[in-house]
Amino acid sequence: MASFIQALAQLVVSLGGIIETTQPVSEIVMAGHEAVGVKTADNVRLADIVICNASAAYASEKLLPKAKTDTYTDDDFHHSCGVLQLHLALDTVYHELKVHNCYYDRSLTKALRASYHGYVAPKIALYVYYPAVVDHTLAPKGQSVMTVVLRVPNETSQFSAWNSRRKNRIVKRMMTVLTQDERLSDLSEHIISMSLITPTEMKRDFNVTSGSAFGTINQPIKSLPTIAQLYFIGDAVDGNAGVHRILQQSRILSEQILAEKRSISS
């Protein structure tokens, strides 16, 4: 996935585009009923088109405060569960693993449902992303990175207090599951560093509404505001949108914009 993103970035730059990753947007700038740019901490960037991939609730409450339209709140949505992401830097490479690895038993359904009912199931199910087997550029030679994902309740549940004790307890359970795999029996011995992302960080640092990892289960009956030159993508138009759905949305939206521009020019 990292190589794919790098390839997209290279394509954008080759076509004259500029990618800025340290400019948080605080507002979508309006001129009447038309989007004309975005406001950052130190500047206003004018644009012919604005594409927003924030959630509908966040965009309506935070980015479009001056737009004369109904405002969404968290209460307008049923949110998906959250995830606990365990990121490991390792001083070895597990060549026997695949890029995508799943750990679960016959209680998988119960484990997945638990995250929507405010608790973590006694028997947890894990997804492990291990790109080192196909991409050697993400870590120094002989080292690798691993991401372990556990579905947990989102920030709207009573489970949302992610204190150190709770984190340590759940990480211990995750490590127990992983090391039961003979290929990873020595995993603990090869950890250089470890970091965690909980639904709390997802909401605080990435503006993910309620820390929901997979968007919204439903969209509100009210439609998104129709503002000229403003297009939405991602969770705002398709709850539970994964990477493959985002890529599909991007293609469809690109074709839509190009068709509209051709229609105007003709």
PDB file of all heavy atoms in Angstrom, residues 3-29:
ATOM      1  N   SER A   3       3.792   1.659  -1.347  1.00  0.00           N
ATOM      2  CA  SER A   3       4.321   1.852  -2.703  1.00  0.00           C
ATOM      3  C   SER A   3       3.251   2.413  -3.628  1.00  0.00           C
ATOM      4  O   SER A   3       3.533   3.246  -4.504  1.00  0.00           O
ATOM      5  CB  SER A   3       4.844   0.519  -3.250  1.00  0.00           C
ATOM      6  OG  SER A   3       5.911   0.038  -2.464  1.00  0.00           O
ATOM      7  N   PHE A   4       2.013   1.969  -3.432  1.00  0.00           N
ATOM      8  CA  PHE A   4       0.910   2.453  -4.261  1.00  0.00           C
ATOM      9  C   PHE A   4       0.695   3.948  -4.014  1.00  0.00           C
ATOM     10  O   PHE A   4       0.526   4.733  -4.953  1.00  0.00           O
ATOM     11  CB  PHE A   4      -0.364   1.676  -3.952  1.00  0.00           C
ATOM     12  CG  PHE A   4      -1.556   2.112  -4.754  1.00  0.00           C
ATOM     13  CD1 PHE A   4      -1.678   1.756  -6.091  1.00  0.00           C
ATOM     14  CD2 PHE A   4      -2.544   2.888  -4.181  1.00  0.00           C
ATOM     15  CE1 PHE A   4      -2.770   2.173  -6.843  1.00  0.00           C
ATOM     16  CE2 PHE A   4      -3.636   3.306  -4.920  1.00  0.00           C
ATOM     17  CZ  PHE A   4      -3.750   2.942  -6.255  1.00  0.00           C
ATOM     18  N   ILE A   5       0.714   4.350  -2.738  1.00  0.00           N
ATOM     19  CA  ILE A   5       0.535   5.763  -2.394  1.00  0.00           C
ATOM     20  C   ILE A   5       1.670   6.606  -2.971  1.00  0.00           C
ATOM     21  O   ILE A   5       1.454   7.706  -3.502  1.00  0.00           O
ATOM     22  CB  ILE A   5       0.460   5.938  -0.864  1.00  0.00           C
ATOM     23  CG1 ILE A   5      -0.812   5.268  -0.336  1.00  0.00           C
ATOM     24  CG2 ILE A   5       0.493   7.415  -0.479  1.00  0.00           C
ATOM     25  CD1 ILE A   5      -0.900   5.221   1.162  1.00  0.00           C
ATOM     26  N   GLN A   6       2.895   6.083  -2.890  1.00  0.00           N
ATOM     27  CA  GLN A   6       4.040   6.800  -3.448  1.00  0.00           C
ATOM     28  C   GLN A   6       3.904   6.961  -4.952  1.00  0.00           C
ATOM     29  O   GLN A   6       4.243   8.018  -5.518  1.00  0.00           O
ATOM     30  CB  GLN A   6       5.327   6.051  -3.099  1.00  0.00           C
ATOM     31  CG  GLN A   6       5.679   6.095  -1.616  1.00  0.00           C
ATOM     32  CD  GLN A   6       6.806   5.157  -1.257  1.00  0.00           C
ATOM     33  OE1 GLN A   6       7.375   4.485  -2.121  1.00  0.00           O
ATOM     34  NE2 GLN A   6       7.139   5.085   0.021  1.00  0.00           N
ATOM     35  N   ALA A   7       3.384   5.921  -5.624  1.00  0.00           N
ATOM     36  CA  ALA A   7       3.182   5.996  -7.072  1.00  0.00           C
ATOM     37  C   ALA A   7       2.132   7.057  -7.414  1.00  0.00           C
ATOM     38  O   ALA A   7       2.291   7.815  -8.382  1.00  0.00           O
ATOM     39  CB  ALA A   7       2.766   4.627  -7.610  1.00  0.00           C
ATOM     40  N   LEU A   8       1.064   7.123  -6.626  1.00  0.00           N
ATOM     41  CA  LEU A   8       0.037   8.143  -6.859  1.00  0.00           C
ATOM     42  C   LEU A   8       0.624   9.541  -6.658  1.00  0.00           C
ATOM     43  O   LEU A   8       0.336  10.462  -7.432  1.00  0.00           O
ATOM     44  CB  LEU A   8      -1.138   7.926  -5.900  1.00  0.00           C
ATOM     45  CG  LEU A   8      -2.098   6.776  -6.199  1.00  0.00           C
ATOM     46  CD1 LEU A   8      -3.172   6.697  -5.110  1.00  0.00           C
ATOM     47  CD2 LEU A   8      -2.753   6.933  -7.566  1.00  0.00           C
ATOM     48  N   ALA A   9       1.434   9.683  -5.605  1.00  0.00           N
ATOM     49  CA  ALA A   9       2.050  10.984  -5.327  1.00  0.00           C
ATOM     50  C   ALA A   9       2.951  11.407  -6.481  1.00  0.00           C
ATOM     51  O   ALA A   9       2.947  12.576  -6.895  1.00  0.00           O
ATOM     52  CB  ALA A   9       2.836  10.915  -4.025  1.00  0.00           C
ATOM     53  N   GLN A  10       3.719  10.465  -7.013  1.00  0.00           N
ATOM     54  CA  GLN A  10       4.598  10.772  -8.137  1.00  0.00           C
ATOM     55  C   GLN A  10       3.797  11.192  -9.363  1.00  0.00           C
ATOM     56  O   GLN A  10       4.194  12.105 -10.108  1.00  0.00           O
ATOM     57  CB  GLN A  10       5.462   9.554  -8.458  1.00  0.00           C
ATOM     58  CG  GLN A  10       6.500   9.250  -7.382  1.00  0.00           C
ATOM     59  CD  GLN A  10       7.230   7.942  -7.642  1.00  0.00           C
ATOM     60  OE1 GLN A  10       7.007   7.267  -8.648  1.00  0.00           O
ATOM     61  NE2 GLN A  10       8.114   7.574  -6.720  1.00  0.00           N
ATOM     62  N   LEU A  11       2.657  10.553  -9.571  1.00  0.00           N
ATOM     63  CA  LEU A  11       1.800  10.908 -10.705  1.00  0.00           C
ATOM     64  C   LEU A  11       1.263  12.327 -10.553  1.00  0.00           C
ATOM     65  O   LEU A  11       1.281  13.110 -11.509  1.00  0.00           O
ATOM     66  CB  LEU A  11       0.640   9.915 -10.811  1.00  0.00           C
ATOM     67  CG  LEU A  11      -0.402  10.210 -11.906  1.00  0.00           C
ATOM     68  CD1 LEU A  11       0.252  10.181 -13.285  1.00  0.00           C
ATOM     69  CD2 LEU A  11      -1.546   9.203 -11.833  1.00  0.00           C
ATOM     70  N   VAL A  12       0.800  12.653  -9.339  1.00  0.00           N
ATOM     71  CA  VAL A  12       0.280  14.006  -9.090  1.00  0.00           C
ATOM     72  C   VAL A  12       1.353  15.055  -9.366  1.00  0.00           C
ATOM     73  O   VAL A  12       1.117  16.055 -10.045  1.00  0.00           O
ATOM     74  CB  VAL A  12      -0.232  14.126  -7.637  1.00  0.00           C
ATOM     75  CG1 VAL A  12      -0.543  15.587  -7.301  1.00  0.00           C
ATOM     76  CG2 VAL A  12      -1.469  13.264  -7.427  1.00  0.00           C
ATOM     77  N   VAL A  13       2.551  14.819  -8.857  1.00  0.00           N
ATOM     78  CA  VAL A  13       3.649  15.774  -9.036  1.00  0.00           C
ATOM     79  C   VAL A  13       4.033  15.887 -10.506  1.00  0.00           C
ATOM     80  O   VAL A  13       4.297  16.987 -11.011  1.00  0.00           O
ATOM     81  CB  VAL A  13       4.867  15.355  -8.179  1.00  0.00           C
ATOM     82  CG1 VAL A  13       6.070  16.231  -8.502  1.00  0.00           C
ATOM     83  CG2 VAL A  13       4.531  15.452  -6.698  1.00  0.00           C
ATOM     84  N   SER A  14       4.045  14.760 -11.210  1.00  0.00           N
ATOM     85  CA  SER A  14       4.418  14.777 -12.629  1.00  0.00           C
ATOM     86  C   SER A  14       3.431  15.571 -13.469  1.00  0.00           C
ATOM     87  O   SER A  14       3.770  16.080 -14.541  1.00  0.00           O
ATOM     88  CB  SER A  14       4.529  13.338 -13.166  1.00  0.00           C
ATOM     89  OG  SER A  14       3.245  12.731 -13.267  1.00  0.00           O
ATOM     90  N   LEU A  15       2.203  15.685 -12.982  1.00  0.00           N
ATOM     91  CA  LEU A  15       1.173  16.440 -13.701  1.00  0.00           C
ATOM     92  C   LEU A  15       1.084  17.892 -13.225  1.00  0.00           C
ATOM     93  O   LEU A  15       0.166  18.624 -13.599  1.00  0.00           O
ATOM     94  CB  LEU A  15      -0.192  15.747 -13.523  1.00  0.00           C
ATOM     95  CG  LEU A  15      -0.317  14.361 -14.156  1.00  0.00           C
ATOM     96  CD1 LEU A  15      -1.637  13.717 -13.780  1.00  0.00           C
ATOM     97  CD2 LEU A  15      -0.191  14.446 -15.675  1.00  0.00           C
ATOM     98  N   GLY A  16       2.054  18.279 -12.389  1.00  0.00           N
ATOM     99  CA  GLY A  16       2.097  19.663 -11.937  1.00  0.00           C
ATOM    100  C   GLY A  16       1.407  19.922 -10.617  1.00  0.00           C
ATOM    101  O   GLY A  16       1.290  21.078 -10.188  1.00  0.00           O
ATOM    102  N   GLY A  17       0.959  18.872  -9.950  1.00  0.00           N
ATOM    103  CA  GLY A  17       0.274  19.039  -8.675  1.00  0.00           C
ATOM    104  C   GLY A  17       1.251  19.255  -7.534  1.00  0.00           C
ATOM    105  O   GLY A  17       2.438  18.936  -7.633  1.00  0.00           O
ATOM    106  N   ILE A  18       0.753  19.814  -6.454  1.00  0.00           N
ATOM    107  CA  ILE A  18       1.548  20.043  -5.242  1.00  0.00           C
ATOM    108  C   ILE A  18       0.839  19.363  -4.072  1.00  0.00           C
ATOM    109  O   ILE A  18      -0.356  19.584  -3.855  1.00  0.00           O
ATOM    110  CB  ILE A  18       1.715  21.547  -4.946  1.00  0.00           C
ATOM    111  CG1 ILE A  18       2.439  22.237  -6.109  1.00  0.00           C
ATOM    112  CG2 ILE A  18       2.469  21.764  -3.636  1.00  0.00           C
ATOM    113  CD1 ILE A  18       2.505  23.749  -5.954  1.00  0.00           C
ATOM    114  N   ILE A  19       1.565  18.548  -3.344  1.00  0.00           N
ATOM    115  CA  ILE A  19       1.003  17.847  -2.188  1.00  0.00           C
ATOM    116  C   ILE A  19       1.567  18.463  -0.910  1.00  0.00           C
ATOM    117  O   ILE A  19       2.780  18.496  -0.717  1.00  0.00           O
ATOM    118  CB  ILE A  19       1.333  16.344  -2.239  1.00  0.00           C
ATOM    119  CG1 ILE A  19       0.749  15.724  -3.519  1.00  0.00           C
ATOM    120  CG2 ILE A  19       0.787  15.638  -0.997  1.00  0.00           C
ATOM    121  CD1 ILE A  19       1.151  14.273  -3.718  1.00  0.00           C
ATOM    122  N   GLU A  20       0.692  18.954  -0.053  1.00  0.00           N
ATOM    123  CA  GLU A  20       1.116  19.528   1.223  1.00  0.00           C
ATOM    124  C   GLU A  20       0.471  18.730   2.347  1.00  0.00           C
ATOM    125  O   GLU A  20      -0.758  18.663   2.443  1.00  0.00           O
ATOM    126  CB  GLU A  20       0.711  21.001   1.307  1.00  0.00           C
ATOM    127  CG  GLU A  20       1.382  21.862   0.246  1.00  0.00           C
ATOM    128  CD  GLU A  20       1.082  23.338   0.452  1.00  0.00           C
ATOM    129  OE1 GLU A  20       1.087  23.774   1.611  1.00  0.00           O
ATOM    130  OE2 GLU A  20       0.836  24.036  -0.550  1.00  0.00           O
ATOM    131  N   THR A  21       1.291  18.129   3.195  1.00  0.00           N
ATOM    132  CA  THR A  21       0.777  17.239   4.237  1.00  0.00           C
ATOM    133  C   THR A  21       0.846  17.857   5.632  1.00  0.00           C
ATOM    134  O   THR A  21       0.518  17.216   6.605  1.00  0.00           O
ATOM    135  CB  THR A  21       1.566  15.923   4.243  1.00  0.00           C
ATOM    136  OG1 THR A  21       2.965  16.224   4.441  1.00  0.00           O
ATOM    137  CG2 THR A  21       1.399  15.174   2.930  1.00  0.00           C
ATOM    138  N   THR A  22       1.266  19.096   5.743  1.00  0.00           N
ATOM    139  CA  THR A  22       1.384  19.733   7.059  1.00  0.00           C
ATOM    140  C   THR A  22       0.551  21.009   7.116  1.00  0.00           C
ATOM    141  O   THR A  22       0.922  21.974   7.764  1.00  0.00           O
ATOM    142  CB  THR A  22       2.857  20.061   7.379  1.00  0.00           C
ATOM    143  OG1 THR A  22       3.375  20.899   6.332  1.00  0.00           O
ATOM    144  CG2 THR A  22       3.685  18.791   7.458  1.00  0.00           C
ATOM    145  N   GLN A  23      -0.592  20.990   6.442  1.00  0.00           N
ATOM    146  CA  GLN A  23      -1.460  22.165   6.383  1.00  0.00           C
ATOM    147  C   GLN A  23      -2.895  21.770   6.750  1.00  0.00           C
ATOM    148  O   GLN A  23      -3.749  21.621   5.877  1.00  0.00           O
ATOM    149  CB  GLN A  23      -1.424  22.779   4.986  1.00  0.00           C
ATOM    150  CG  GLN A  23      -0.084  23.330   4.558  1.00  0.00           C
ATOM    151  CD  GLN A  23       0.287  24.564   5.356  1.00  0.00           C
ATOM    152  OE1 GLN A  23      -0.555  25.371   5.701  1.00  0.00           O
ATOM    153  NE2 GLN A  23       1.573  24.708   5.655  1.00  0.00           N
ATOM    154  N   PRO A  24      -3.182  21.587   8.021  1.00  0.00           N
ATOM    155  CA  PRO A  24      -4.554  21.228   8.425  1.00  0.00           C
ATOM    156  C   PRO A  24      -5.558  22.287   7.960  1.00  0.00           C
ATOM    157  O   PRO A  24      -5.313  23.485   8.095  1.00  0.00           O
ATOM    158  CB  PRO A  24      -4.464  21.184   9.953  1.00  0.00           C
ATOM    159  CG  PRO A  24      -3.017  20.959  10.253  1.00  0.00           C
ATOM    160  CD  PRO A  24      -2.264  21.676   9.178  1.00  0.00           C
ATOM    161  N   VAL A  25      -6.657  21.824   7.411  1.00  0.00           N
ATOM    162  CA  VAL A  25      -7.698  22.728   6.929  1.00  0.00           C
ATOM    163  C   VAL A  25      -8.679  23.018   8.062  1.00  0.00           C
ATOM    164  O   VAL A  25      -9.213  22.100   8.680  1.00  0.00           O
ATOM    165  CB  VAL A  25      -8.441  22.117   5.723  1.00  0.00           C
ATOM    166  CG1 VAL A  25      -9.644  22.973   5.339  1.00  0.00           C
ATOM    167  CG2 VAL A  25      -7.482  21.976   4.542  1.00  0.00           C
ATOM    168  N   SER A  26      -8.913  24.297   8.329  1.00  0.00           N
ATOM    169  CA  SER A  26      -9.827  24.686   9.407  1.00  0.00           C
ATOM    170  C   SER A  26     -11.208  25.074   8.896  1.00  0.00           C
ATOM    171  O   SER A  26     -12.170  25.101   9.662  1.00  0.00           O
ATOM    172  CB  SER A  26      -9.235  25.861  10.201  1.00  0.00           C
ATOM    173  OG  SER A  26      -9.006  26.979   9.353  1.00  0.00           O
ATOM    174  N   GLU A  27     -11.291  25.362   7.595  1.00  0.00           N
ATOM    175  CA  GLU A  27     -12.589  25.797   7.064  1.00  0.00           C
ATOM    176  C   GLU A  27     -12.592  25.696   5.550  1.00  0.00           C
ATOM    177  O   GLU A  27     -11.576  25.926   4.897  1.00  0.00           O
ATOM    178  CB  GLU A  27     -12.869  27.246   7.485  1.00  0.00           C
ATOM    179  CG  GLU A  27     -14.220  27.789   7.063  1.00  0.00           C
ATOM    180  CD  GLU A  27     -14.420  29.227   7.511  1.00  0.00           C
ATOM    181  OE1 GLU A  27     -13.846  29.612   8.555  1.00  0.00           O
ATOM    182  OE2 GLU A  27     -15.143  29.974   6.808  1.00  0.00           O
ATOM    183  N   ILE A  28     -13.742  25.359   4.989  1.00  0.00           N
ATOM    184  CA  ILE A  28     -13.954  25.447   3.550  1.00  0.00           C
ATOM    185  C   ILE A  28     -14.501  26.839   3.273  1.00  0.00           C
ATOM    186  O   ILE A  28     -15.544  27.226   3.798  1.00  0.00           O
ATOM    187  CB  ILE A  28     -14.931  24.367   3.057  1.00  0.00           C
ATOM    188  CG1 ILE A  28     -14.310  22.973   3.260  1.00  0.00           C
ATOM    189  CG2 ILE A  28     -15.285  24.585   1.584  1.00  0.00           C
ATOM    190  CD1 ILE A  28     -15.247  21.827   2.937  1.00  0.00           C
ATOM    191  N   VAL A  29     -13.777  27.607   2.481  1.00  0.00           N
ATOM    192  CA  VAL A  29     -14.122  29.005   2.235  1.00  0.00           C
ATOM    193  C   VAL A  29     -15.251  29.097   1.214  1.00  0.00           C
ATOM    194  O   VAL A  29     -15.208  28.461   0.157  1.00  0.00           O
ATOM    195  CB  VAL A  29     -12.892  29.794   1.739  1.00  0.00           C
ATOM    196  CG1 VAL A  29     -13.255  31.250   1.480  1.00  0.00           C
ATOM    197  CG2 VAL A  29     -11.762  29.693   2.755  1.00  0.00           C
TER     198      VAL A  29
END
